[in-house]
Amino acid sequence: MKKIILSVLVFGLMSSCSSSTNLTDSSSNQSTDSTYGLTEKNPIKVGGGEGGPVSERKYLNSLSGPNGEAVTYDRIGSCCFFKSKSSPMGGGLLDKYSVTYKGKKDTVVLYLNMYEKGKLVAPIGFIMK
């Protein structure tokens, strides 16, 4: 009986250690594409879920600087019409956000698509919380 309990405890500890390693590995949540979110041709697709601006803010709030710095952002406006089956009107506009964090010398403009859904990762230079 002691061997069974010990085996279960050891297995449980090993399982929890391996899963916590995966949670802290931010590299799987970071894009390797240098254009991801930084161009109108490759916007961040935040559609689905709550929808619209709520999804955009939820995504932006999940970003931080490379060392965990808090990110601030401002909506610049909309641009760049595109056709989309996910939009009730058959197309939409991208939203542009100016994004920065303390210690960053410049701002980055991110392009977000609130109509279409895609895998969400952080653009190069940012990490996801």
Side-chain angles (χ1 to χ4, degrees), residues 37-38 44 56 60-61 63 70-78 95-101 104-112 123 126:
L38 302 174
I44 300 163
E56 291 180 337
L60 292 165
N61 290 334
L63 295 178
V71 166
T72 58
Y73 57 88
D74 290 304
R75 186 174 179 278
I76 299 170
S78 298
D95 285 329
K96 290 171 49 176
Y97 286 85
S98 172
V99 183
T100 193
Y101 53 85
K104 185 154 178 58
K105 294 179 182 176
D106 56 357
T107 61
V108 174
V109 174
L110 294 181
Y111 294 81
L112 276 66
F126 295 90

